[in-house]
Amino acid sequence: MKSPVHLNALRAFEASARHRSFSAAAAELHVTPAAVGQLVRTLEQWLGAPLFHRGASGKARLIPTEAAERALVDIRAGLARLAQGLDRLKEASPNGLLTVAVSPAFAAKWLLPRIERFQAAWPDTDVRLDTNLKPVDFVSQQIDIGVRYGLGVWPELVAEKLMDEEVYPVCSPALLQRRGRLDRPADLMRETFIHDLSMDGRLGFPTWDMWLEKAGVRQRPARRAMKINNSAAVLQAAIDAHGVALARSVMARDDLAAGRLLRLFPEVEFRSALAYYVIYRPETASQPRLKAFRDWLFDEAVTSPNGTAAEKR
């Protein structure tokens, strides 16, 4: 197989043809316009034919020749394959950047307090967190691995259950001191209910109505409600004694362990239909740093207090 010659010149030619400008190509390639022009001339000299019709003025001072236009299709495909090959070489290395997609609340309440242990074990792997609640395209957004809360179905992605979750009311010690004891679930009716709207409307997402029904409380809260679309902020509002929150056990475990929150009515067991899943593309499963992070997540889920970890696969 013949090796490609003048690789940098080909890149300069392709960018110049796409932008119709040496200056715009130079900005993309982070070199000077003179360097781009020299690379293109070098390629033209090697070919023995011009690649552009050069104009003295106007918006499009560079117009690819007919032969150049035909060749660009294959050159662009070749450059794309080279870039893909380099990405595969990077994926095979245990070092480098690992991009992890998680919700802001999961990052704040579970991942960030623990991530130092992964970094200590894998010091040459840089972790970049992509925190959002919206669906992400793992290919176009260059996501390596994610943790998502749901029913376990994400098209074209492997989904491994990481942790199940329990749901229960919590409040701050200060609220109990100020408001008095809560002896039975019906006593909650006199408190401000803090609602988690982070997945409002999603099938199976736990709500106050669902928990109250499980607890046998027929009356429903009709006043003094606070509604927040971030699970971490829901817990913070409860810590600040603004009311009683319906906590998700994975999010609340550190606050409970530290005494910032108290679990109410532990005799009422209510498991969420949703769970936390580790998700990634099947073709990247053997990537060393992805596999290391995936295994670390499962180890952390097992060793974390109050966890309901799924069996490690």
Side-chain angles (χ1 to χ4, degrees), residues 11-12 14-16 18-19 21-31 36:
R11 292 178 65 220
E14 189 281 328
S16 299
R18 181 161 30 88
H19 290 291
S21 164
F22 286 157
S23 296
E28 178 183 313
L29 299 174
H30 305 291
V31 295
V36 171

Side-chain angles (χ1 to χ4, degrees), residues 10 14 17 25 30 53 55 93 101 112 164 192 195 217 268 270-271 278 296 299 308:
L10 287 171
E14 189 281 328
H30 305 291
H53 300 295
S93 169
L112 287 176
D164 288 301
T192 297
H195 297 266
V217 180
V268 179
F270 183 79
R271 290 196 174 276
V278 178
W296 174 81
D299 288 341
T308 312

Side-chain angles (χ1 to χ4, degrees), residues 123-143:
D124 294 325
T125 297
D126 296 324
V127 177
R128 180 175 75 89
L129 294 185
D130 185 306
T131 58
N132 60 78
L133 286 171
K134 298 178 180 178
V136 295
D137 185 321
F138 271 51
V139 176
S140 66
Q141 294 176 247
Q142 297 183 314
I143 303 296

